[in-house]
Amino acid sequence: MIHPTAIVDPAAELDTAVEVGPFAVIRSPVQIGAGTVIGPHVVIDPHVTIGPQCRIFQFASIGAIPQALKFGDEVTHVRIGGRTTIREFVTINRGTAFGGGLTEVGEECFLMAYTHVAHDCRIGRRVVLANASTLAGHITIGDYATVGGLVAIHQFVRIGEHAFIGGKSAVVKDIPPFVIAAGDRATLHGLNTVGLKRNGFSDASLALLKKTYRIVFRIGLTLNEAIERVLAEVDQTPEVMNFIAFLKSSQRGVTR
């Protein structure tokens, strides 16, 4: 299932059920799982692991060395989870030694055309990155988050799970889980209620998250004051605890 014009290093480890299209280039060491389809002109550089049943469309570049001045040609990696779709002209760079050595895309993600994932980014499960969204280095994106088209995210920013970032936004601080953010520079616009309902959140959970959001962002408290009030007044469900833990652990500051 390898097209005769493709160039595949004999040492690359491809499952027998992998399909490789015309003029693709696959170097080594690389591992590709069963059922994955590599489209025409895709380039997969060394130290890349791709899970099963992925689909990588034409002209994508996976595992190129990072665009980082500190990079010293050290051995670092890219890991892509199973059942992930990577559309045309997506670029995913390897990690760096100073950033942990791994760029990771989780299972069942959807990376639309021209998306860029820089070195040492960690993307969770079922994340959607819309067309031309651009991730600088060391970014973390939680499970089920959605990033709109033409969004630029500053290095070291964290995006919480189930967050939604509107198109053409510039994100320079952390986006908490479960919220909507948009704008240049991005600001918060309430809970991602539609997305949460689609993913099975109950009315009771939504009510507690709304109360938490209001205390933290709507009544003029400092962040520490708001956290103390949430701990005192809101039931500590896993979602609420996740929200508070994210706020406490922020290094860049939280988008307000």
Side-chain angles (χ1 to χ4, degrees):
M1 301 180 73
I2 298 176
H3 193 278
T5 62
I7 301 173
V8 180
D9 191 310
E13 299 177 37
L14 278 61
D15 187 275
T16 55
V18 170
E19 179 180 339
V20 181
F23 303 104
V25 177
I26 300 176
R27 300 176 65 193
S28 180
V30 162
Q31 295 176 317
I32 304 177
T36 288
V37 177
I38 308 297
H41 297 277
V42 170
V43 176
I44 301 177
D45 281 307
H47 310 298
V48 172
T49 301
I50 300 172
Q53 300 178 35
C54 294
R55 189 169 183 189
I56 302 177
F57 283 72
Q58 55 266 30
F59 301 103
S61 171
I62 314 296
I65 63 171
Q67 300 174 112
L69 295 176
K70 293 182 181 179
F71 183 71
D73 205 29
E74 62 265 27
V75 174
T76 56
H77 301 272
V78 167
R79 184 165 61 222
I80 297 171
R83 300 176 300 283
T84 284
T85 298
I86 297 173
R87 294 301 305 246
E88 300 85 347
F89 297 98
V90 168
T91 54
I92 303 175
N93 292 165
R94 280 165 47 192
T96 62
F98 59 88
L102 175 66
T103 302
E104 184 171 23
V105 178
E107 295 181 342
E108 301 181 70
C109 291
F110 185 17
L111 279 58
M112 298 185 194
Y114 294 95
T115 295
H116 175 65
V117 180
H119 55 88
D120 306 297
C121 288
R122 302 292 181 93
I123 298 173
R125 182 172 181 268
R126 295 193 68 179
V127 170
V128 175
L129 303 180
N131 296 310
S133 52
T134 300
L135 278 58
H138 314 280
I139 289 167
T140 300
I141 300 182
D143 297 346
Y144 296 90
T146 298
V147 178
L150 300 170
V151 169
I153 305 178
H154 194 282
Q155 62 184 353
F156 294 102
V157 162
R158 298 181 305 148
I159 309 297
E161 64 183 71
H162 292 278
F164 182 95
I165 302 175
K168 292 184 66 178
S169 296
V171 181
V172 298
K173 293 185 178 181
D174 292 350
I175 305 292
F178 315 118
V179 303
I180 293 174
D184 180 12
R185 299 306 194 247
T187 57
L188 301 187
H189 297 268
L191 288 183
N192 181 19
T193 304
V194 172
L196 295 174
K197 287 182 177 179
R198 286 175 178 169
N199 284 288
F201 281 67
S202 67
D203 290 340
S205 293
L206 290 175
L208 291 173
L209 286 172
K210 286 179 180 178
K211 184 175 182 180
T212 300
Y213 183 94
R214 178 181 176 276
I215 291 172
V216 174
F217 296 116
R218 292 291 176 85
I219 59 177
L221 300 176
T222 67
L223 192 59
N224 288 335
E225 291 170 343
I227 290 171
E228 291 177 4
R229 185 159 171 178
V230 170
L231 294 175
E233 298 182 10
V234 182
D235 293 344
Q236 299 303 291
T237 62
E239 295 83 7
V240 173
M241 293 173 66
N242 184 346
F243 196 99
I244 295 302
F246 186 97
L247 300 180
K248 286 182 173 181
S249 61
S250 177
Q251 297 296 311
R252 282 197 57 80
V254 177
T255 301
R256 306 285 293 200

